[in-house]
Amino acid sequence: MKRHLTIVIKLGTSSIVSEDTHEPLVSIIGTIVETVVALRRDGHRVIICSSGAIGMALHLTGEPRRPKHLPDVQALASIGQVSLMNMWTQQFAYFNMLVSQVLLTRHDIADRNQYLNAQNTFASLMSRGAIPVVNENDTISVQEIKFGDNDTLSAITAGMVQADYLFLMTDVDCLYDKNPRKHSDAIAIEVVEDISDLDVDVSSAGSSLGTGGMGTKLTAARLATAAGVTTVITRSSKPGNIASIVRYAESQKAAAKSLESSLELPAQSTPGIATPDSSQAPDSANSTTTDIEIPPLHTRFLPDPHPIRDRYFWLLHGLAPHGTLFIDRGAYTALTNGAGLLPVGVVDVDGSFGQQECVRLSILPTRESPLSEAEEAGRALVNYSAIEIKRIKGLSSRKIAEVIGYADSEYVALRENIAFFKREGSRPGTPSGEREKDVTPKRYSLGRLSNYVAG
């Protein structure tokens, strides 16, 4: 049975507004709308994360370039957002489709109840067949509550709605190992299992109208894949490619499941690159993979098989940290086994924060290690302020009231208020006798996708 998917499409300013004239790119916008309509008619739910308000305003006001002063930028955002939404509303009206506006700042989702309200609103909008158009609320945003760029906003939106796909539309076909504008021998990277294994040049900056570049897209891909969202980078001037890529990726998943069910998965002939072996796969599985339509060039980041969702996703990505707790290895081990964070496990504190504010958790190799050797591992909502934790760090919980005059909790942070970027212990363990043999690196695929099968 055909799956009904949730797809988030992120469009930067340069995708829909000319950098030179600031006029809307009507032909591309029309193709985007037709693509979304086709996806909706196939039963999929679609969210558009659209920049472009300031670009639209520059066209309306006749100003030559994006201003530098915050009040001027916010004024243009206010002017342009109206035109941006009018454009989307008019375009979708030709197909009798509803459009809604969702403006967010990080402050809006920092409160857990507001985050859940936003999540429920998205669900209600999509159940009505509406197409939410999301943008950062630049008119009221200040640096402390900004997402920073719409790549990050789109990834957080995709995680919030537990999307199946996030498309990051850009001005190149895919991710390359080197900047293709500077190096003619740049190689396309088309399938990535683990972003941390990538060694690529992300020096390309965003457009003169926008704030993002390839670096922000990799950050967004890391965030979205951790939430279980397949993330795709592809060319914005060819939005019709989205449907082809979705069909291809879904066919790949079906082919992989077919091979798994046959218990005759093909061997990997080259470490790090998965290629099917026709001599080992059954004929029916081979016909499934060879009949798959070859998609347009793109980079596909595979989702984490053990995604971080719901409250833990909110803790990691919905909140801005106000400081750092440095903890010892023993405390980290206890946390991964389900315990809360006790004062005795805290080595040092950095920053200024109050009760129930978010902080980074960084692990020290030993209690004597310099803070520069700490590795950031997650986030926590703390029960005590920075000043109070500095006074009780390293002590037994029995001494909390004696030192600071009260003890609301024996824990610096409850386990339910702690989330880690890596899900320790969540993946099946390898028997000890086999562990040393498993040295296959994470997969990525260079070049065309024609011989690659992956979920």
Side-chain angles (χ1 to χ4, degrees):
M1 190 174 77
K2 186 175 181 179
R3 286 209 306 157
H4 291 173
L5 308 169
T6 299
I7 301 169
V8 178
I9 301 172
K10 185 269 174 181
L11 300 161
T13 302
S14 61
S15 298
I16 59 175
V17 176
S18 167
E19 281 196 68
D20 299 323
T21 66
H22 304 149
E23 294 176 346
L25 300 173
V26 178
S27 62
I28 293 177
I29 292 167
T31 308
I32 292 167
V33 170
E34 291 173 358
T35 298
V36 172
V37 169
L39 291 169
R40 285 288 300 115
R41 288 176 177 170
D42 280 344
H44 305 311
R45 298 168 293 274
V46 182
I47 295 173
I48 296 175
C49 190
S50 174
S51 304
I54 293 172
M56 289 280 194
L58 291 175
H59 176 60
L60 293 170
T61 62
E63 296 179 44
R65 64 185 63 86
R66 180 189 178 102
K68 296 181 179 179
H69 297 295
L70 181 61
D72 297 330
V73 172
Q74 292 180 318
L76 286 181
S78 178
I79 294 168
Q81 184 63 28
V82 177
S83 294
L84 181 67
M85 285 308 304
N86 279 341
M87 178 198 73
W88 289 120
T89 301
Q90 291 169 7
Q91 290 288 327
F92 281 106
Y94 293 123
F95 300 93
N96 295 317
M97 289 203 168
L98 298 173
V99 171
S100 73
Q101 173 180 263
V102 181
L103 296 177
L104 295 172
T105 66
R106 190 175 286 278
H107 177 73
D108 294 324
I109 62 172
D111 179 84
R112 178 64 178 165
N113 288 331
Q114 288 182 236
Y115 178 89
L116 293 174
N117 285 343
Q119 197 174 53
N120 293 334
T121 299
F122 276 118
S124 181
L125 286 169
M126 290 187 288
S127 72
R128 287 171 163 77
I131 299 164
V133 177
V134 183
N135 198 2
E136 182 155 14
N137 195 349
D138 289 320
T139 301
I140 63 170
S141 289
V142 293
Q143 193 61 42
E144 289 76 13
I145 62 172
K146 283 181 71 66
F147 291 101
D149 57 83
N150 271 11
D151 293 322
T152 301
L153 173 59
S154 68
I156 290 176
T157 300
M160 182 189 298
V161 302
Q162 297 185 12
D164 298 283
Y165 289 91
L166 167 62
F167 280 84
L168 300 172
M169 311 302 286
T170 185
D171 56 356
V172 292
D173 290 304
C174 62
L175 182 67
Y176 291 85
D177 64 337
K178 292 178 282 190
N179 190 333
R181 296 189 181 93
K182 299 178 182 177
H183 304 277
S184 59
D185 61 341
I187 301 174
I189 299 174
E190 297 188 341
V191 181
V192 178
E193 184 179 10
D194 192 335
I195 297 176
S196 62
D197 285 349
L198 282 176
D199 182 16
V200 296
D201 177 8
V202 294
S203 59
S204 60
S207 72
S208 61
L209 298 176
T211 56
M214 192 55 74
T216 66
K217 287 171 178 57
L218 286 184
T219 299
R222 182 178 289 107
L223 192 161
T225 54
V229 182
T230 299
T231 304
V232 177
I233 292 176
T234 193
R235 186 177 287 275
S236 60
S237 60
K238 299 177 181 178
N241 290 346
I242 292 173
S244 299
I245 294 169
V246 169
R247 284 195 301 270
Y248 176 79
E250 289 298 294
S251 298
Q252 290 269 302
K253 290 178 182 179
K257 287 180 180 178
S258 175
L259 290 171
E260 288 173 2
S261 64
S262 71
L263 301 179
E264 293 186 36
L265 282 168
Q268 291 185 7
S269 58
T270 305
I273 301 179
T275 56
D277 181 348
S278 59
S279 66
Q280 296 187 26
D283 292 341
S284 59
N286 281 339
S287 63
T288 301
T289 57
T290 55
D291 290 344
I292 294 175
E293 162 192 4
I294 301 303
L297 197 57
H298 67 280
T299 297
R300 180 161 53 104
F301 298 87
L302 304 183
D304 192 309
H306 304 285
I308 300 168
R309 286 181 172 156
D310 300 326
R311 181 174 179 81
Y312 292 123
F313 181 83
W314 170 72
L315 283 169
L316 289 172
H317 305 296
L319 303 175
H322 294 275
T324 303
L325 294 185
F326 296 92
I327 63 175
D328 61 32
R329 182 64 59 177
Y332 177 63
T333 300
L335 292 173
T336 58
N337 289 327
L341 178 61
L342 295 169
V344 70
V346 179
V347 178
D348 208 343
V349 182
D350 181 58
S352 177
F353 51 86
Q355 295 179 358
Q356 296 304 311
E357 288 196 322
C358 180
V359 299
R360 303 175 192 86
L361 287 182
S362 292
I363 309 163
L364 287 164
T366 68
R367 293 188 70 90
E368 293 74 30
S369 300
L371 300 185
S372 59
E373 293 183 8
E375 179 184 358
E376 185 177 345
R379 298 281 190 270
L381 286 179
V382 291
N383 293 325
Y384 298 99
S385 69
I387 294 173
E388 291 167 336
I389 297 174
K390 285 179 181 177
R391 296 178 64 189
I392 62 175
K393 64 182 174 68
L395 301 179
S396 167
S397 296
R398 293 192 298 271
K399 295 186 177 181
I400 294 176
E402 178 184 335
V403 173
I404 64 174
Y406 75 99
D408 281 348
S409 173
E410 64 180 309
Y411 296 107
V412 170
L414 300 174
R415 185 62 185 87
E416 66 189 48
N417 289 333
I418 296 171
F420 293 110
F421 295 114
K422 294 181 180 179
R423 295 282 291 270
E424 297 292 341
S426 63
R427 302 189 182 191
T430 304
S432 58
E434 297 175 14
R435 187 163 296 168
E436 292 183 2
K437 298 178 183 179
D438 185 10
V439 295
T440 305
K442 296 289 186 180
R443 302 193 306 272
Y444 64 93
S445 173
L446 299 176
R448 293 303 303 172
L449 284 158
S450 55
N451 291 324
Y452 190 86
V453 176

